[in-house]
Amino acid sequence: MFYAILAYHVEDAIKALTPQEDAALMADLLKINTRLHEEGTLGPSARLGATQDAFTLRGPGDGVVIDGPFAETKEQLLGLYVVDCATRDEAIAIARDLRRVNPTAVYEIRPILLFKPGAPLAGK
């Protein structure tokens, strides 16, 4: 089954990292990405752009475009991973690996029920 691991963090804390601290954090996360890729577990993953550059489409009909994130929260969604795991516990273990190198982040783990119908994607 595919799981989305959504990475939340206080955006200002990430922005406050020095370039060296950010590079070190990304290098540690990349080690996990590389391991998961070699295991055949990692699907798409991304570091998202700043919430100040985000916009939301909501409302009836064509909707209305609103600048910024859709909710006022302390933590913002800053990245995501798609992982292919046989069990929920395997997805939790991956999120725990990510948290070990980025301990102030919060990771939400959600099953993916539909992943682009018709696209070839072999799950475990």
Side-chain angles (χ1 to χ4, degrees), residues 6-66:
L6 308 174
Y8 292 88
H9 210 291
V10 176
E11 190 170 21
D12 287 340
I14 295 299
K15 287 180 182 178
L17 295 175
T18 66
Q20 296 81 11
E21 290 169 329
D22 186 62
L25 173 59
M26 293 309 292
D28 287 342
L29 291 171
L30 185 58
K31 289 176 189 172
I32 295 170
N33 285 18
T34 300
R35 186 194 84 223
L36 295 174
H37 177 73
E38 289 170 355
E39 293 172 357
T41 302
L42 184 64
S45 60
R47 187 178 202 185
L48 301 176
T51 56
Q52 70 189 25
D53 298 329
F55 49 93
T56 302
L57 176 65
R58 67 167 22 149
D62 287 342
V64 176
V65 176
I66 304 166

Side-chain angles (χ1 to χ4, degrees), residues 37-121:
H37 177 73
E38 289 170 355
E39 293 172 357
T41 302
L42 184 64
S45 60
R47 187 178 202 185
L48 301 176
T51 56
Q52 70 189 25
D53 298 329
F55 49 93
T56 302
L57 176 65
R58 67 167 22 149
D62 287 342
V64 176
V65 176
I66 304 166
D67 289 338
F70 71 95
E72 293 295 322
T73 61
K74 180 179 176 185
E75 296 156 340
Q76 292 81 30
L77 177 62
L78 298 184
L80 62 99
Y81 301 83
V82 173
V83 294
D84 184 8
C85 299
T87 67
R88 175 182 180 265
D89 289 340
E90 287 179 21
I92 292 169
I94 291 169
R96 284 188 171 137
D97 285 343
L98 295 167
R99 187 166 167 81
R100 279 186 196 95
V101 300
N102 194 5
T104 57
V106 174
Y107 293 95
E108 177 183 351
I109 305 157
R110 296 177 63 179
I112 296 175
L113 302 180
L114 182 63
F115 192 93
K116 196 172 181 182
L121 203 61

